[in-house]
């Protein structure tokens, strides 16, 4: 109980600071007090050739190849969809009124390939990784890189398959998907290389064949993928700008690549905006189902990020970020962007929204603890906790939504940092 009270009061303190910033219309991400990781102090036992996986508590498939983290509700998924339905949606034969002008413009953008020469590594990567000496921090870096790599690779697989399957029925849309899969392959490859700086990489070919694929109907792919691209943009750019302003936390060079990298994600999101616009019933203000699904996907994407990141405070404090402020900043900005196209979004700037998210973090912590418990009563004890978790989610979902989507917003000029 004492721990719980301490957690609540920490959360309240953060609430207070968030309220003031939200009232001014933006959320500045401030450096967290705490560790500054000094690079290249000494090479850890792991990096010096010990068994990295064993040292850090990971399982290895074979030497230097990490067994992928167990799949859960909060881990990145691989997706598949109804490709026949997708073909029909974008076939000009079946949909002669499909407005192709935006797709043509998107294709030209992707063909420019702005980041063709961006993802080139240098010698600093390995030195910097070796300089991150604390085993628990190395572990958390690997987890961050693995999570990001899996999410990027998931995009690569889905877009590649869509590019292949739509080639005949809609060559322009297919070509865009293929070029987006090019981008995601670069992102995933770059992250996997970064993992190997810490001594463990993923076998992406093995994952392709062995990971579960979640089936989503095309319309759910559009909502979910639009959001994951836009939230990806806001995460990358926020970390980049924060480290530009606070270079003392620049402990690993990958973050310096995030500025151009996030432009890829933004372009991917813009293409999904065009896809959604081409299916007006999915973003119509008069369609209750569209509004409910819009809110549902916003909720699941925001909550997943919030809970995941709050299990990894150590990572964010290592790069000088306060997890809560960083997350709320990303959620607020993603929600504002999303409001340009989704017919409903969540009222994330209402302080109640964050209050419930913070309660969810605590309940999720209780669930994780019960999951690890050997007690024969743990199963029973979980029931009220799961009920509480579901109730909080429902409360968030039922909060008065933001009516959105009809206004053509001017691009917001003010940057947040
Ligand atoms: Fe990406
Ligand atoms: Fe992307």
């Amino acid at each position: 109980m004492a721990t719980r009270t301490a957690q609540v009061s920490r959360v309240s303190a953060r609430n207070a600071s968030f309220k003031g910033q939200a009232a001014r219309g933006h959320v500045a991400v401030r450096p967290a007090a705490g560790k500054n990781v000094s690079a290249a102090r000494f090479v850890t036992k792991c990096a010096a050739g010990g068994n990295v996986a064993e040292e850090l508590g990971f399982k290895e498939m074979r030497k230097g190849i990490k067994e992928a983290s167990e799949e859960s509700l909060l881990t990145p998924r691989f997706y598949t969809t109804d490709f026949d339905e997708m073909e029909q949606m974008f076939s000009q034969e079946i949909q002669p009124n499909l407005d192709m002008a935006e797709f043509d413009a998107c294709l030209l953008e992707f063909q420019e390939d702005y980041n063709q020469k961006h993802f080139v590594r240098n010698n600093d990567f390995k030195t910097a990784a070796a300089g991150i000496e604390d085993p628990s921090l190395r572990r958390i870096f690997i987890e961050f890189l693995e999570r990001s790599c899996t999410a990027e690779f998931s995009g690569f697989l889905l877009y590649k398959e869509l590019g292949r399957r739509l080639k005949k029925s809609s060559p322009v849309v297919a070509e865009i998907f293929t070029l987006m899969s090019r981008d995601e392959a670069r992102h995933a490859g770059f992250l996997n290389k970064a993992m190997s700086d810490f001594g463990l990489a993923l076998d992406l070919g093995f994952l392709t064949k062995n990971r579960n694929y979640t089936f989503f109907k095309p319309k759910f792919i559009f909502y979910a993928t639009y959001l994951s691209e836009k939230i990806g943009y806001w995460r990358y750019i926020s970390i980049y700008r924060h480290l530009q302003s606070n270079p003392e936390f620049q402990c690993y060079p990958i973050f310096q690549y995030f500025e151009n990298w996030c432009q890829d994600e933004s372009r991917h999101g813009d293409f999904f905006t065009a896809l959604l616009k081409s299916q007006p019933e999915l973003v119509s203000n008069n369609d209750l189902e569209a509004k409910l699904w819009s809110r549902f996907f916003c909720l699941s994407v925001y909550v997943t990020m919030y809970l995941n990141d709050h299990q990894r405070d150590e990572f964010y404090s290592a790069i000088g970020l306060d997890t809560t402020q960083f997350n709320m900043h990303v959620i607020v900005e993603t929600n504002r962007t999303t409001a340009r196209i989704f017919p409903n979004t969540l009222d994330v700037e209402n302080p109640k929204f964050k209050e419930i998210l913070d309660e969810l973090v605590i309940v999720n912590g209780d669930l994780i603890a019960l999951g690890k418990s050997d007690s024969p009563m743990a199963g029973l004890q979980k029931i009220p906790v799961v009920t509480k978790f579901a109730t909080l989610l429902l409360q968030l979902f039922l909060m008065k939504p933001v009516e959105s989507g009809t206004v053509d917003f001017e691009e917001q000029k003010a940057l947040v940092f």
Side-chain angles (χ1 to χ4, degrees):
M1 196 63 200
T3 320
R4 201 182 162 89
T5 313
Q7 278 172 319
V8 172
S9 63
R10 271 206 306 276
V11 160
S12 309
R14 284 171 180 170
N15 261 342
S17 113
F18 172 71
K19 268 183 210 162
Q21 289 159 350
R24 290 193 300 275
H26 70 267
V27 185
V29 179
R30 298 228 174 82
K35 296 170 205 167
N36 178 3
V37 181
S38 70
R41 260 201 284 162
F42 72 91
V43 176
T44 62
K45 194 168 137 199
C46 306
N51 187 323
V52 180
E54 212 174 283
E55 290 284 343
L56 302 181
F58 291 127
K59 286 187 190 151
E60 255 179 336
M61 280 172 62
R62 54 182 191 276
K63 183 92 184 116
I65 301 297
K66 183 182 176 303
E67 216 174 74
S69 301
E70 258 176 51
E71 291 176 57
S72 74
L73 274 177
L74 296 180
T75 49
R77 288 157 186 271
F78 287 0
Y79 293 100
T80 185
T81 189
D82 183 338
F83 293 102
D84 293 336
E85 189 188 336
M86 201 67 103
E87 263 189 339
Q88 288 175 10
M89 287 170 121
F90 300 108
S91 157
Q92 278 182 279
E93 264 175 43
I94 301 170
Q95 315 277 356
N97 296 328
L98 202 65
D99 179 6
M100 293 302 291
E102 273 205 69
F103 294 140
D104 291 337
C106 282
L107 179 57
L108 285 177
E109 275 283 291
F110 284 112
Q111 284 171 334
E112 288 288 333
D113 198 2
Y114 299 105
N115 283 336
Q116 191 182 24
K117 295 189 178 137
H118 181 61
F119 293 95
V120 179
R121 283 163 54 88
N122 57 42
N123 294 333
D124 297 345
F125 280 75
K126 278 199 184 303
T127 317
I132 297 172
E133 69 215 34
D134 175 357
S136 79
L137 196 52
R138 290 180 73 83
R139 185 186 159 84
I140 221 139
F141 253 86
I142 291 176
E143 282 179 359
F144 170 81
L145 294 169
E146 175 179 357
R147 218 189 133 67
S148 308
C149 178
T150 312
E152 297 279 12
F153 193 65
S154 159
F156 160 73
L157 290 174
L158 178 69
Y159 300 160
K160 187 174 147 235
E161 191 58 12
L162 281 163
R164 202 174 68 80
R165 298 288 281 266
L166 299 179
K167 215 170 190 166
K168 275 202 190 119
S169 60
S170 187
V172 172
V173 172
E175 176 71 3
I176 297 172
F177 274 121
T178 302
L179 293 176
M180 292 204 311
S181 79
R182 166 204 69 195
D183 296 342
E184 303 299 21
R186 278 180 194 148
H187 302 167
F190 205 66
L191 284 156
N192 207 20
K193 267 274 181 219
M195 279 184 74
S196 68
D197 292 336
F198 290 84
L200 284 172
L202 290 174
D203 181 341
L204 295 173
F206 179 85
L207 276 187
T208 307
K209 291 191 197 105
N210 293 286
R211 204 173 167 91
N212 292 324
Y213 285 73
T214 302
F215 176 84
F216 266 7
K217 282 171 73 64
K219 67 175 181 178
F220 300 146
I221 291 279
F222 298 158
Y223 292 128
T225 317
Y226 169 86
L227 279 165
S228 80
E229 295 291 358
K230 288 298 181 187
I231 208 166
Y233 166 81
W234 281 110
R235 285 174 64 80
Y236 286 140
I237 195 64
S238 304
I239 292 175
Y240 177 82
R241 287 186 187 146
H242 156 71
L243 290 174
Q244 286 298 105
S245 311
N246 302 279
E248 69 275 22
F249 291 105
Q250 187 72 260
C251 57
Y252 184 62
I254 201 162
F255 307 117
Q256 288 164 13
Y257 290 73
F258 279 6
E259 189 182 30
N260 289 24
W261 185 329
C262 76
Q263 297 304 330
D264 281 344
E265 310 305 1
S266 187
R267 276 187 286 273
H268 300 169
D270 291 343
F271 170 57
F272 279 100
T273 304
L275 287 181
L276 282 163
K277 277 192 195 162
S278 76
Q279 314 293 319
E281 73 283 2
L282 300 185
V283 286
S284 161
N285 284 87
N286 299 316
D287 191 319
L288 180 63
E289 206 184 317
K291 288 180 167 183
L292 291 174
W293 283 121
S294 294
R295 275 153 61 194
F296 172 82
F297 279 99
C298 284
L299 183 64
S300 64
V301 168
Y302 302 159
V303 168
T304 303
M305 179 182 75
Y306 206 81
L307 295 183
N308 264 316
D309 283 359
H310 280 81
Q311 288 171 44
R312 292 167 182 84
D313 272 335
E314 201 184 341
F315 173 80
Y316 293 99
S317 76
I319 58 169
L321 280 171
D322 175 291
T323 313
T324 300
Q325 282 190 3
F326 166 63
N327 270 215
M328 282 315 299
H329 167 73
V330 169
I331 288 173
V332 166
E333 292 298 352
T334 304
N335 205 57
R336 287 178 184 172
T337 308
T338 303
R340 294 173 199 163
I341 181 73
F342 281 25
N344 257 190
T345 52
L346 301 171
D347 189 7
V348 301
E349 293 177 62
N350 180 337
K352 184 80 191 153
F353 188 87
K354 180 182 170 295
E355 231 170 75
I356 301 176
L357 280 183
D358 287 329
E359 278 190 67
L360 273 170
V361 170
I362 295 167
V363 177
N364 190 46
D366 293 345
L367 270 179
I368 293 170
L370 283 169
K372 287 179 186 161
S373 164
D374 294 332
S375 158
M377 299 302 286
L380 266 183
Q381 287 168 334
K382 260 190 185 177
I383 296 171
V385 187
V386 170
T387 310
K388 173 82 180 161
F389 192 90
T391 310
L392 290 169
L393 282 180
L394 198 62
Q395 274 180 33
L396 285 177
F397 186 71
L398 295 177
M399 275 176 70
K400 191 171 182 292
V402 177
E403 296 294 330
S404 55
T406 47
V407 188
D408 250 349
F409 286 75
E410 260 285 289
E411 189 68 33
Q412 280 192 319
K413 299 286 190 307
L415 296 180
V416 186
F417 298 97

